[in-house]
């Protein structure tokens, strides 16, 4: 069967959207957001990958990220975290991280509409063999969830602490952000994190990590 062209056109748009707010606005104005969200459920994994990539690359834009959430993207992105395809998982985690970054309302929408994403993200960041980029994206999404009341409790109760500490040991800055956002909540969480070696890992990151991790 001939390819539909959806994967290729979405992929091209994703590449064009990357790193340019002007191009993100142009693509958004072409009214492709709802079609892209619908294609997250396509049977073809290449189409699902490309749809997630386009949403991930549009979502850094402050205004567009609200429109993506309004287009009902959160539930299908949460479902994509459970897909067997690792590239799709990474892009879905990246899309969620970008949708949640510096946007409290989107975090709460994610928690209300698809709370199942939290255990999926915790599972993702400890999947053996998964790329470091995928784990960074997953840790970033969890860190944004942990920054808000309600979702923060759910992130801790889903067992995010130990796998974030493993990533922290590997000098992954997004894990430090997750630990920071978890540790402001309750004394017992702070005590448990300290007992698990968090202080030592953070000191090492200050000494040896890259600038973003510091």
């Amino acid at each position: 069967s001939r390819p539909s062209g959806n994967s290729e056109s979405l992929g091209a748009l994703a590449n064009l959207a990357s790193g340019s707010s002007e191009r993100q606005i142009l693509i958004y104005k072409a009214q492709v957001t709802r079609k892209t969200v619908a294609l997250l459920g396509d049977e073809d994994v290449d189409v699902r990958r490309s749809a997630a990539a386009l949403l991930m690359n549009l979502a850094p834009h402050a205004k567009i990220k609200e429109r993506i959430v309004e287009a009902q993207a959160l539930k299908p992105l949460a479902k994509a975290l459970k897909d067997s395809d690792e590239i799709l998982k990474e892009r879905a985690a990246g899309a969620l991280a970008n949708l949640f970054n510096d946007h409290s309302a989107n975090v709460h929408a994610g928690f209300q509409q698809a709370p199942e994403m939290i255990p999926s993200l915790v599972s993702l960041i400890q999947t053996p063999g998964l790329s470091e980029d995928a784990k960074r994206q997953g840790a970033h999404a969890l860190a944004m969830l942990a920054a808000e009341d309600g979702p923060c409790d759910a992130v801790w109760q889903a067992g995010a602490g130990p796998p974030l500490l493993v990533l922290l040991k590997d000098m992954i800055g997004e894990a430090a952000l997750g630990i920071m956002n978890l540790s402001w909540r309750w004394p017992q969480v702070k005590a448990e994190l300290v007992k698990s070696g968090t202080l030592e890992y953070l000191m090492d990151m200050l000494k040896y990590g890259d600038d973003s991790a510091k």
Side-chain angles (χ1 to χ4, degrees):
S1 65
R2 293 180 61 216
S4 65
N6 282 332
S7 172
E8 294 78 9
S9 54
L10 286 167
L13 288 169
N15 289 341
L16 289 167
S18 181
S20 166
S21 59
E22 290 173 8
R23 290 196 297 270
Q24 288 159 7
I25 287 285
L26 282 173
I27 293 165
Y28 172 72
K29 284 183 174 175
Q31 299 185 324
V32 295
T33 311
R34 289 186 185 278
K35 173 81 184 277
T36 305
V37 170
L39 289 171
L40 284 170
D42 197 89
E43 290 180 3
D44 184 341
V45 69
D46 287 327
V47 173
R48 297 200 303 278
R49 284 176 175 180
S50 296
L54 178 53
L55 294 175
M56 178 175 72
N57 290 348
L58 288 173
H61 195 287
K63 292 279 190 287
I64 296 173
K65 67 175 70 194
E66 295 174 1
R67 304 289 87 81
I68 292 171
V69 168
E70 286 169 8
Q72 306 296 311
L74 292 168
K75 197 87 176 166
L77 285 170
K79 185 180 178 187
L81 294 173
K82 294 183 174 178
D83 200 280
S84 59
D85 185 75
E86 293 189 349
I87 293 171
L88 176 58
K89 283 183 183 177
E90 177 182 331
R91 291 175 181 175
L96 289 168
N98 289 343
L99 288 170
F100 294 160
N101 192 47
D102 293 331
H103 203 294
S104 173
N106 281 359
V107 171
H108 286 285
F111 185 54
Q112 287 158 10
Q113 294 175 28
E116 67 276 10
M117 73 172 61
I118 292 178
S120 297
L121 286 165
V122 172
S123 175
L124 181 145
I125 65 171
Q126 53 192 327
T127 302
L130 200 64
S131 73
E132 183 180 297
D133 276 347
K135 291 181 179 181
R136 283 182 181 277
Q137 300 284 20
H140 188 189
L142 284 169
M144 294 298 99
L145 285 156
E148 301 292 332
D149 280 331
C152 181
D153 296 4
V155 169
W156 180 253
Q157 286 158 11
L164 283 173
L165 285 172
V166 171
L167 297 182
L168 186 62
K169 199 174 176 182
D170 293 336
M171 304 276 173
I172 290 182
E174 290 83 353
L177 183 62
I179 296 291
M180 180 181 83
N181 289 346
L182 283 171
S183 63
W184 68 273
R185 290 288 290 141
W186 320 280
Q188 67 266 34
V189 170
K190 291 180 187 176
E192 203 163 318
L193 289 169
V194 169
K195 194 171 69 180
S196 303
T198 304
L199 289 177
E200 290 83 353
Y201 301 150
L202 288 169
M203 299 292 189
D204 284 346
M205 187 172 274
L206 268 178
K207 284 184 200 165
Y208 311 118
D210 62 25
D211 288 341
S212 65
K214 292 173 185 175

